[in-house]
Each structure stands twice: as structure tokens, then as C-alpha cells.
Amino acid sequence: METNRKKALRESYKNYRPEMGVFGIRHRDSRKIYLMATNNLKGKMNSVMFQLKNHSFVTCRALNEAFKQEGEAAFEAEVLEKLDYDKDDEAGQKDYSQELELMKDLWRDKLLAQGFEVY
């Protein structure tokens, strides 16, 4: 019985494909937002928020400084759009980095047109 369970868990792990897409960390009071495209939305969002809470987010020092001064309550992290895997990419081996960057650029243009300032 235990062997079957291990096999099922192993197979489940092999077939796991995390959600990918674009997320933003938005300042609630101003119209500033930080955008990031990633092939693992949940993991990257958790990582970025952890770094911001510990004042160690070096990717965007301006965001890190604003988060440090104003606190977590002044910001909101949100998924803006998810990218689906191609139907023919059953093994999850395709590199989606170009599609993700294009999606991020489209969101940047869209938000700038709405009056947002991007970090």
C-alpha cells in the first residue's frame, strides 16, 4: 500500500506545473506598481513579499524603500494575468520566458495608459 502511495505522489510531482504569468505589487495610495513576470506565480509572489517584509528586496530598491517606510498595509500583491501552458507541451519543457516578458510589457503599456507609474 505504501509503495502505491509513493508512486502516486512521485507521479503527481512529475506532472505538477505551477501557474505562470504576471503579477503586480501596487501601492494602495499612489498609482505606483511593480510588475514581474514569472513561471511560478505563487512561489515568486511569496518570495518577493518575504524579501519586502525583511527589507532585503534588491531587485527594485525604490519599492523596497517605500515598503520599509510605509509598511505592508500600504501595498497589495495581485495576479494580473496567467499564461496557460501549450497543449502540446505535456512535459512542461518549453521555455515561456519570451511570452511572459511580452505579457509583462503589454501590462506595463496598459497600466501606463491608465495613469500608473511603474517602479
Side-chain angles (χ1 to χ4, degrees):
M1 184 68 169
E2 189 66 28
T3 306
N4 289 338
R5 185 175 184 286
K6 284 182 181 179
K7 282 182 183 179
L9 287 172
R10 194 175 303 121
E11 191 63 30
S12 173
Y13 176 76
K14 285 181 184 179
N15 293 331
Y16 174 72
R17 296 191 291 178
E19 291 181 327
M20 55 185 168
V22 175
F23 73 93
I25 299 175
R26 183 176 54 85
H27 188 272
R28 293 178 191 267
D29 296 333
S30 70
R31 295 189 59 82
K32 284 184 145 184
I33 191 166
Y34 175 78
L35 297 175
M36 184 173 270
T38 180
N39 60 357
N40 184 344
L41 280 169
K42 184 179 177 184
K44 185 54 101 171
M45 285 177 73
N46 285 339
S47 173
V48 169
M49 291 306 293
F50 178 81
Q51 291 174 49
L52 286 169
K53 290 174 188 176
N54 289 292
H55 314 299
S56 62
F57 186 62
V58 296
T59 306
C60 180
R61 297 222 184 255
L63 174 61
N64 191 55
E65 196 57 38
F67 199 93
K68 186 176 181 179
Q69 290 177 1
E70 300 185 38
E72 183 178 357
F75 292 87
E76 178 180 13
E78 58 188 323
V79 174
L80 299 173
E81 187 174 357
K82 294 178 184 177
L83 179 64
D84 294 328
Y85 287 89
D86 289 343
K87 291 184 185 345
D88 59 341
D89 184 26
E90 292 178 19
Q93 299 298 318
K94 182 180 174 187
D95 181 14
Y96 291 92
S97 58
Q98 289 180 338
E99 289 93 335
L100 289 166
E101 282 304 311
L102 177 62
M103 186 183 283
K104 181 178 132 181
D105 291 342
L106 291 171
W107 270 100
R108 176 181 285 117
D109 294 344
K110 182 179 180 179
L111 291 168
L112 288 172
Q114 292 177 9
F116 280 88
E117 182 181 341
V118 179
Y119 280 102

